[in-house]
Amino acid sequence: QVQLVESGGGLVQAGGSLRLSCAASGSIFSINAMEWYRQAPGKQRELVAGITRGGSTNYADSVKGRFTISRDNAKNAVYLQMNSLKPEDTAVYYCAARVVIPTTFYVSTYWGQGTQVIVSS
C-alpha cells in the first residue's frame, strides 16, 4: 500500500505565500509524474501543476508565474510554492502520484487526503 501525506495549507492574506508539501511512503519502486490538484467549493477538481520524474513541469494558466512545483526523488516528495496568492486560489489542494509498484511494475495513481488553503481578501 502507498500513502501520500500533505502538509502546509492554511490561512493567508491575498498577496501572501504558502508552501505545500506531499510525501509518499509505502510499497514504491519509483514514482513517475507527481501532480497538484485543487477543488474549490461547488467546482470540479482541476489540475494545478505537474512534474515528471525528470523535472519537466506544466502549469494551469491561472497559476503560471505565481506557483512553482518541484520534487525530491530521493524523498518521494513533491512541493508547491505558491506566491502572490489570490482569493480565487482558495480550495482544498490534493497531491497525486503515479507510483510504479514493486514486483508487478504496474503504475497506479494514489492521492493525498487534501490540505485546505484559504486566501482572504
Side-chain angles (χ1 to χ4, degrees):
Q1 193 56 276
V2 175
Q3 299 81 37
L4 272 63
V5 178
E6 298 141 341
S7 60
L11 173 64
V12 64
Q13 288 189 331
S17 298
L18 283 175
R19 186 175 189 250
L20 305 183
S21 300
C22 173
S25 62
S27 185
I28 298 170
F29 176 78
S30 66
I31 301 178
N32 294 340
M34 302 186 81
E35 297 163 328
W36 286 98
Y37 289 78
R38 67 186 180 187
Q39 186 165 20
K43 295 188 177 181
Q44 289 188 331
R45 189 172 297 189
E46 64 174 353
L47 176 65
V48 176
I51 185 168
T52 66
R53 184 170 180 82
S56 296
T57 60
N58 63 283
Y59 297 92
D61 288 343
S62 59
V63 307
K64 281 181 181 176
R66 299 188 298 122
F67 291 10
T68 302
I69 189 171
S70 60
R71 65 187 285 173
D72 184 331
N73 291 332
K75 296 181 178 179
N76 288 330
V78 64
Y79 310 97
L80 187 68
Q81 178 66 43
M82 304 186 295
N83 299 329
S84 302
L85 282 161
K86 304 175 180 179
E88 51 263 43
D89 295 318
T90 294
V92 178
Y93 284 70
Y94 300 89
C95 66
R98 319 288 180 186
V99 177
V100 182
I101 305 301
T103 306
T104 65
F105 301 106
Y106 289 160
V107 180
S108 294
T109 299
Y110 292 89
W111 292 84
Q113 80 286 357
T115 184
Q116 178 74 59
V117 171
I118 300 174
V119 183
S120 63
S121 57

